[in-house]
Amino acid sequence: MNAQAIDQYFKDHREQHLEELKTFLRIPSISSLSEHKSDIRKGAEWLKEAMLKAGLENAEVFETEGHPVVYADWLHAEGKPTVLVYGHYDVQPVDPLNLWESAPFDPQVRDNKLFARGASDDKGQTFMHVKAVEALLQLNGELPVNIKFIVEGEEEVGSPNLPQYVEQNKEQLKADVIVISDTGMQGPGRPAVCYGLRGLAGIQIDVKGPKGDLHSGLYGGAVQNPLHAVVEILESFRDKEGVIQVEGFYEDVLPVSDEERAEFASLEFDLENEKKELGITEDFGEKGYSFIERTWIRPTLEINGITGGFSGEGIKTVLPAEASAKITCRLVPNQDPDDIVAKLRAHIEAHKPAGVTVEITDFDKGKPFLTPYDHPAIQAAGRSYEKVYNVPTAFTRMGGSVPIVAVFDEVLGLPVVLMGFGLSSENFHAPNEHFHLENFDKGLRVISDYLFEAANL
Amino acid sequence: MNAQAIDQYFKDHREQHLEELKTFLRIPSISSLSEHKSDIRKGAEWLKEAMLKAGLENAEVFETEGHPVVYADWLHAEGKPTVLVYGHYDVQPVDPLNLWESAPFDPQVRDNKLFARGASDDKGQTFMHVKAVEALLQLNGELPVNIKFIVEGEEEVGSPNLPQYVEQNKEQLKADVIVISDTGMQGPGRPAVCYGLRGLAGIQIDVKGPKGDLHSGLYGGAVQNPLHAVVEILESFRDKEGVIQVEGFYEDVLPVSDEERAEFASLEFDLENEKKELGITEDFGEKGYSFIERTWIRPTLEINGITGGFSGEGIKTVLPAEASAKITCRLVPNQDPDDIVAKLRAHIEAHKPAGVTVEITDFDKGKPFLTPYDHPAIQAAGRSYEKVYNVPTAFTRMGGSVPIVAVFDEVLGLPVVLMGFGLSSENFHAPNEHFHLENFDKGLRVISDYLFEAANL
């Protein structure tokens, strides 16, 4: 491989690549909101065309029971391994909209960062893989490996239909390694290959009391208030340090070796700077675990939203008819999401407040994932990063969830390489999401190199 | 007084009176929402015109630092007592709007009930006093007593400016008795004179954590979640039976005599029917107190609203930057609202969750009120009810607050007669507020009779 020629190619095409990515980012493909159904389809169609333009073949938008999956491949490297690239073209909702400095679907470059919903998570990173293929095909007329892309539109809602798609298309998706760029680096200029992810399980809790809102003066004290009831349930989940009180919650947690914890401790991590970046005066959580460990190897239970009663300006002395809360748990190996939801349900049943009814709705689930960090496919990714960033690659875990990773692991039985280019400061899932273009530029080169590395697996 | 002539007059003018009241109800005079400021003024001006039309004199819209006060009088009954009538022309907000069967400011009569925001609380009841004056002046050319009206536009936000108005206009408001119709009857066909009200004190609690919303996967477990923090504070306020855990909260509560509790026990009250009406399967609250006692003679602490995080459709795995809650306490004699707020603040300080900042904002306050039920002005009101309803009048307390009552009691030193015509099923402060027109018709006659009763005080 002629690394210089590839570098030059990406320099020459930088403006063109960014303009194309902006077009992709202008499509408001929010998967959780039904009013964006047609935008999701637009996102899929745009990606299919971009893949064909890159030189990929057999590009197709496959229907599922939810939002479609985009597939494409290039399979002319006879006798060579096959790399399966996974990404997602759907994005998170954008509220609160008033906190965005520029509109979420009007991509803007400021200070060498690209601001838009999906810039980093995950349209930007998926787009880089397509452009790496295009570059190699333009320069060499061929790729060093066979390659397949599978890009879904439901990652941000827990990938409800992808497991079935993967099951039903095992043959189409056959490969030797899966590469996913949907995670973060260790910090600016500090590449990381991630070998473990937390899983996800969550529920919505709906508490219903009287049939209509009541005057808190006329009935307060004699009728249970659904807001107090939902607070009572929520407060029972954790103690004041965040240790989860749900019976059996921790019982399947896989112990983490002292060696692995020593590796985490050796990673460059500036807690004071992290607190400053986050705008908090103190960190929080389980005693005996570091900030990194609390987010990588310990499970959590977080309230994501509470609704009920009056939220307008001023005072309204209402005793509301209903209240609700959304909670999600991050799970670590070997916790099982179905088992955790069953335990949450049993906990609520055992802590049910007087005078109200409680309904529980499951959210979509994702299993936690772990692969040995000394696997050759992962070490190869470390080498590709080092060639471009000129620093050692960290081998890390991550606190987030890519639920489909566990499915790839289980159904296809392949090593999963999480090769991320995001930074934790880039506001995924929050207002002002952005992507540092330094990592866009370097990432294109890392991905291109990895296709050559993968040829020797 | 010729009761028959008065009855006939109200029959003859019924349609006209209802049409006028509907015009009053069409004005969306919501005092807590700043965008309705001009509607509040419209409400005041409408009432002034209606008072002049009724034959009242010196009608004027007086400015305050908030919404205006409407005053009018008729002072030609030389040597006779003066009755001061208090009411309010402002109304509660209307959300959730989708639960209204007809629009809140499009008054409609269904099943002899008038549906509209303010129909019962308190435009409808205030309007009745104006029409009683008009009827007597039309029939007799004079009133049996002197009368003064003071009608405010800030009752639903805690009457922040009326105390100052009352202080500064003691001479204008000089009277022998104050009559207020802003409370409820004991039940359909069961009149009640109320001699005690609960007071009100409340706060808004704003909890701030990280400077922006965070991804719950990347940070969950290591950063305090403001929603958990607000839940921790809220749960600390009460035990599971609703007994308030704030230190010293109950210490100033005036004991209630066994005799008075025996009177409450003798009142007709069907708990099973009440539960059915409210749509609850069990009642709730402090052990050792009846449903009536929990709402009349015991103080409360109720959450009126919680806001924070994601409230849309589906799942968003956010750790929000902030969360907030509104709470109000109903107070009983001799609890002091300022003292209670100080105790709430001290409690929060003592129970402050880790990793967040907490800001507290006071809401407007109202003192509890109590007057002896054997006072002649109150007994006279009982007689007026009995003449029209033909059943004994109950002498009751009430769980709601009319904060200004305590001010009248303190500043003007007059007996306060709470002569209400509402029913507890009429959804004050909730969707589908309405007023039973049977009590509109009878109430006009009761109020007219009371002006003759008051002449002998």
Side-chain angles (χ1 to χ4, degrees):
Chain A
M1 171 204 167
N2 183 338
Q4 264 189 322
I6 294 174
D7 294 358
Q8 192 57 47
Y9 177 90
F10 287 127
K11 273 180 197 148
D12 293 344
H13 293 79
R14 189 172 193 266
E15 283 317 302
Q16 182 196 324
H17 288 169
L18 279 181
E19 283 313 307
E20 287 177 34
L21 176 54
K22 284 182 186 173
T23 314
F24 192 20
L25 292 171
R26 279 187 198 105
I27 303 167
S29 49
I30 303 171
S31 49
S32 67
L33 301 177
S34 46
E35 66 262 36
H36 286 284
K37 200 168 154 56
S38 69
D39 295 316
I40 280 279
R41 183 157 298 271
K42 265 185 223 158
E45 293 290 345
W46 187 94
L47 187 60
K48 178 189 152 186
E49 293 307 317
M51 285 169 159
L52 287 171
K53 189 169 155 282
L56 287 158
E57 300 169 348
N58 302 310
E60 200 159 335
V61 173
F62 283 100
E63 296 308 321
T64 72
E65 282 183 24
H67 302 310
V69 167
V70 184
Y71 174 87
D73 61 30
W74 188 95
L75 303 173
H76 305 295
E78 215 174 316
K80 292 290 182 184
T82 301
V83 172
L84 176 61
V85 176
Y86 162 84
H88 65 91
Y89 64 89
D90 65 320
V91 299
Q92 281 274 321
V94 297
D95 56 308
L97 195 56
N98 62 317
L99 296 184
W100 286 78
E101 279 173 34
S102 53
F105 299 109
D106 175 19
Q108 302 212 357
V109 175
R110 293 194 292 277
D111 199 17
N112 205 33
K113 298 168 200 164
L114 177 58
F115 285 82
R117 172 59 85 228
S120 173
D121 177 16
D122 184 46
K123 284 173 169 175
Q125 298 200 52
T126 299
F127 178 79
M128 288 157 69
H129 284 272
V130 177
K131 288 293 137 178
V133 165
E134 183 175 291
L136 298 191
L137 287 175
Q138 290 285 327
L139 291 169
N140 306 337
E142 60 174 15
L143 301 178
V145 288
N146 300 294
I147 197 161
K148 297 174 175 178
F149 278 81
I150 177 171
V151 185
E152 69 156 320
E154 299 188 309
E155 197 273 344
E156 300 293 4
V157 291
S159 304
N161 294 295
L162 199 62
Q164 195 188 13
Y165 182 90
V166 172
E167 279 282 0
Q168 290 175 347
N169 295 278
K170 273 188 210 175
E171 202 52 39
Q172 181 197 45
L173 300 175
K174 218 171 159 180
D176 296 285
V177 59
I178 303 178
V179 177
I180 301 177
S181 298
D182 194 22
T183 52
M185 295 174 51
Q186 192 50 15
R190 288 151 57 205
V193 176
C194 179
Y195 65 95
L197 288 171
R198 293 198 288 193
L200 188 70
I203 55 174
Q204 172 151 336
I205 303 166
D206 290 296
V207 176
K208 287 186 206 305
K211 67 184 175 190
D213 285 0
L214 300 179
H215 186 298
S216 79
L218 299 185
Y219 296 101
V223 175
Q224 175 65 295
N225 180 333
L227 278 167
H228 279 279
V230 84
V231 160
E232 190 178 319
I233 294 169
L234 294 171
E235 178 64 5
S236 73
F237 282 135
R238 307 195 334 187
D239 72 10
K240 294 189 195 329
E241 276 167 11
V243 179
I244 296 151
Q245 306 295 304
V246 174
E247 200 181 327
F249 189 84
Y250 293 100
E251 72 186 10
D252 293 327
V253 171
L254 208 63
V256 178
S257 70
D258 290 346
E259 289 79 0
E260 207 172 335
R261 295 185 68 181
E263 281 245 0
F264 299 150
S266 76
L267 291 171
E268 202 182 310
F269 180 79
D270 181 345
L271 179 61
E272 288 313 308
N273 186 58
E274 185 76 27
K275 283 157 58 179
K276 212 176 122 190
E277 289 271 317
L278 296 171
I280 56 176
T281 52
E282 49 181 330
D283 61 325
F284 172 84
E286 273 182 285
K287 280 211 167 63
Y289 294 95
S290 69
F291 191 102
I292 281 183
E293 287 176 334
R294 286 168 181 164
T295 59
W296 288 3
I297 63 169
R298 297 301 294 168
T300 66
L301 184 156
E302 295 287 335
I303 309 171
N304 304 121
I306 307 180
T307 319
F310 182 63
S311 60
E313 180 189 349
I315 185 174
K316 185 182 178 196
T317 53
V318 65
L319 192 165
E322 52 193 53
S324 67
K326 294 172 192 277
I327 66 162
T328 49
C329 296
R330 298 287 169 170
L331 308 181
V332 297
N334 284 329
Q335 289 180 301
D336 177 72
D338 288 317
D339 175 64
I340 290 298
V341 167
K343 283 168 175 162
L344 292 175
R345 285 177 174 269
H347 178 91
I348 293 168
E349 190 55 43
H351 292 78
K352 210 168 141 181
V356 290
T357 60
V358 180
E359 273 174 38
I360 299 164
T361 311
D362 291 15
F363 290 137
D364 292 309
K365 307 177 185 86
K367 289 191 179 174
F369 157 77
L370 190 65
T371 209
Y373 73 94
D374 55 0
H375 190 285
I378 285 180
Q379 290 300 320
R383 285 194 298 278
S384 292
Y385 271 119
E386 289 182 21
K387 285 179 220 169
V388 176
Y389 282 87
N390 294 314
V391 292
T393 300
F395 294 91
T396 65
R397 297 205 201 181
M398 215 188 71
S401 310
V402 188
I404 198 60
V405 167
V407 175
F408 287 134
D409 183 31
E410 271 187 24
V411 178
L412 302 178
L414 301 176
V416 181
V417 178
L418 297 169
M419 187 189 256
F421 299 96
L423 288 173
S424 62
S425 61
E426 291 179 334
N427 293 347
F428 326 141
H429 295 208
N432 301 313
E433 178 179 346
H434 57 280
F435 190 24
H436 283 70
L437 292 178
E438 179 204 339
N439 297 322
F440 178 75
D441 297 328
K442 290 191 171 156
L444 285 163
R445 292 157 58 197
V446 172
I447 292 168
S448 303
D449 184 83
Y450 188 69
L451 296 181
F452 288 96
E453 283 278 358
N456 303 318
L457 287 178
Chain B
M1 171 204 167
N2 183 339
Q4 262 189 324
I6 293 175
D7 294 357
Q8 192 59 48
Y9 177 90
F10 287 126
K11 272 181 199 148
D12 294 343
H13 292 79
R14 188 172 193 266
E15 283 317 302
Q16 183 196 325
H17 287 169
L18 278 181
E19 283 313 309
E20 287 178 35
L21 176 54
K22 284 182 189 176
T23 313
F24 193 20
L25 293 171
R26 279 188 199 105
I27 304 168
S29 48
I30 303 171
S31 50
S32 66
L33 301 177
S34 46
E35 68 261 34
H36 286 283
K37 200 169 155 58
S38 70
D39 295 316
I40 280 279
R41 183 157 297 272
K42 265 184 224 160
E45 293 292 344
W46 188 93
L47 187 62
K48 177 189 154 187
E49 292 308 316
M51 285 169 157
L52 287 171
K53 190 169 155 281
L56 287 158
E57 299 169 350
N58 302 309
E60 200 157 337
V61 173
F62 283 100
E63 296 307 320
T64 73
E65 284 184 23
H67 302 309
V69 167
V70 185
Y71 174 88
D73 62 30
W74 188 95
L75 303 175
H76 305 296
E78 216 174 317
K80 292 290 180 183
T82 301
V83 172
L84 176 61
V85 176
Y86 162 84
H88 65 92
Y89 64 88
D90 65 322
V91 299
Q92 281 274 320
V94 296
D95 57 309
L97 195 55
N98 62 316
L99 296 184
W100 286 79
E101 279 172 37
S102 54
F105 299 109
D106 175 20
Q108 302 212 358
V109 175
R110 293 193 292 276
D111 199 19
N112 205 32
K113 298 167 201 166
L114 177 58
F115 285 82
R117 171 59 86 228
S120 174
D121 176 17
D122 184 46
K123 283 173 169 173
Q125 298 199 52
T126 299
F127 179 79
M128 286 157 69
H129 283 272
V130 177
K131 288 295 137 177
V133 166
E134 183 175 292
L136 297 190
L137 287 175
Q138 289 286 327
L139 290 169
N140 307 335
E142 59 174 15
L143 301 179
V145 288
N146 301 296
I147 197 162
K148 297 174 175 179
F149 278 81
I150 177 173
V151 185
E152 71 157 320
E154 300 188 309
E155 197 273 343
E156 300 293 4
V157 292
S159 304
N161 294 295
L162 199 61
Q164 195 189 14
Y165 181 91
V166 173
E167 279 284 358
Q168 290 175 347
N169 294 279
K170 275 188 210 175
E171 203 53 40
Q172 180 196 49
L173 300 176
K174 219 172 159 179
D176 298 283
V177 60
I178 303 179
V179 178
I180 301 177
S181 298
D182 193 22
T183 53
M185 296 176 47
Q186 191 50 14
R190 289 152 54 206
V193 175
C194 179
Y195 65 95
L197 288 172
R198 293 198 288 192
L200 187 71
I203 55 174
Q204 173 152 334
I205 303 166
D206 290 297
V207 176
K208 288 187 206 302
K211 67 183 173 192
D213 286 0
L214 300 179
H215 186 298
S216 79
L218 300 185
Y219 297 102
V223 175
Q224 175 66 293
N225 180 333
L227 278 168
H228 279 279
V230 84
V231 160
E232 189 178 318
I233 294 169
L234 294 171
E235 178 63 7
S236 73
F237 282 135
R238 307 193 338 187
D239 72 8
K240 295 189 194 332
E241 273 167 12
V243 179
I244 296 151
Q245 306 296 304
V246 175
E247 200 181 328
F249 189 86
Y250 294 100
E251 75 186 10
D252 292 328
V253 171
L254 208 63
V256 178
S257 70
D258 290 346
E259 289 77 0
E260 206 171 339
R261 294 186 69 181
E263 281 246 0
F264 298 149
S266 77
L267 290 171
E268 201 182 310
F269 179 80
D270 180 345
L271 180 59
E272 288 312 308
N273 186 59
E274 185 76 26
K275 282 157 59 179
K276 211 175 122 191
E277 289 271 319
L278 296 172
I280 56 175
T281 52
E282 49 181 330
D283 61 324
F284 172 85
E286 274 184 285
K287 282 211 166 59
Y289 295 96
S290 68
F291 190 103
I292 280 183
E293 288 176 333
R294 287 169 181 163
T295 58
W296 287 3
I297 62 169
R298 298 301 294 167
T300 67
L301 183 155
E302 296 286 334
I303 309 170
N304 303 121
I306 307 180
T307 318
F310 182 64
S311 61
E313 180 189 350
I315 183 174
K316 185 182 178 196
T317 53
V318 66
L319 192 166
E322 51 192 56
S324 67
K326 294 171 191 278
I327 66 164
T328 48
C329 297
R330 298 287 169 170
L331 308 181
V332 298
N334 283 331
Q335 288 180 302
D336 177 71
D338 289 317
D339 175 65
I340 290 296
V341 167
K343 284 170 175 161
L344 292 176
R345 285 178 174 270
H347 177 91
I348 293 169
E349 192 55 45
H351 291 78
K352 208 167 141 182
V356 291
T357 60
V358 179
E359 274 175 35
I360 299 165
T361 312
D362 291 17
F363 290 137
D364 292 308
K365 307 176 185 86
K367 289 192 180 175
F369 157 77
L370 189 66
T371 209
Y373 74 95
D374 54 0
H375 191 286
I378 284 181
Q379 292 300 320
R383 285 195 297 278
S384 292
Y385 271 119
E386 288 182 20
K387 285 180 220 166
V388 176
Y389 282 88
N390 294 314
V391 292
T393 299
F395 294 92
T396 65
R397 295 207 202 180
M398 214 187 68
S401 309
V402 188
I404 197 61
V405 167
V407 175
F408 287 134
D409 183 31
E410 273 187 23
V411 178
L412 303 178
L414 301 176
V416 181
V417 178
L418 297 170
M419 187 189 256
F421 299 96
L423 289 172
S424 62
S425 61
E426 290 178 333
N427 294 346
F428 327 138
H429 295 206
N432 301 313
E433 178 179 345
H434 57 279
F435 191 24
H436 282 70
L437 292 178
E438 181 203 338
N439 296 322
F440 178 77
D441 296 329
K442 289 189 172 156
L444 285 164
R445 292 157 57 197
V446 172
I447 291 168
S448 303
D449 184 84
Y450 188 70
L451 296 181
F452 289 95
E453 284 279 356
N456 302 318
L457 287 179

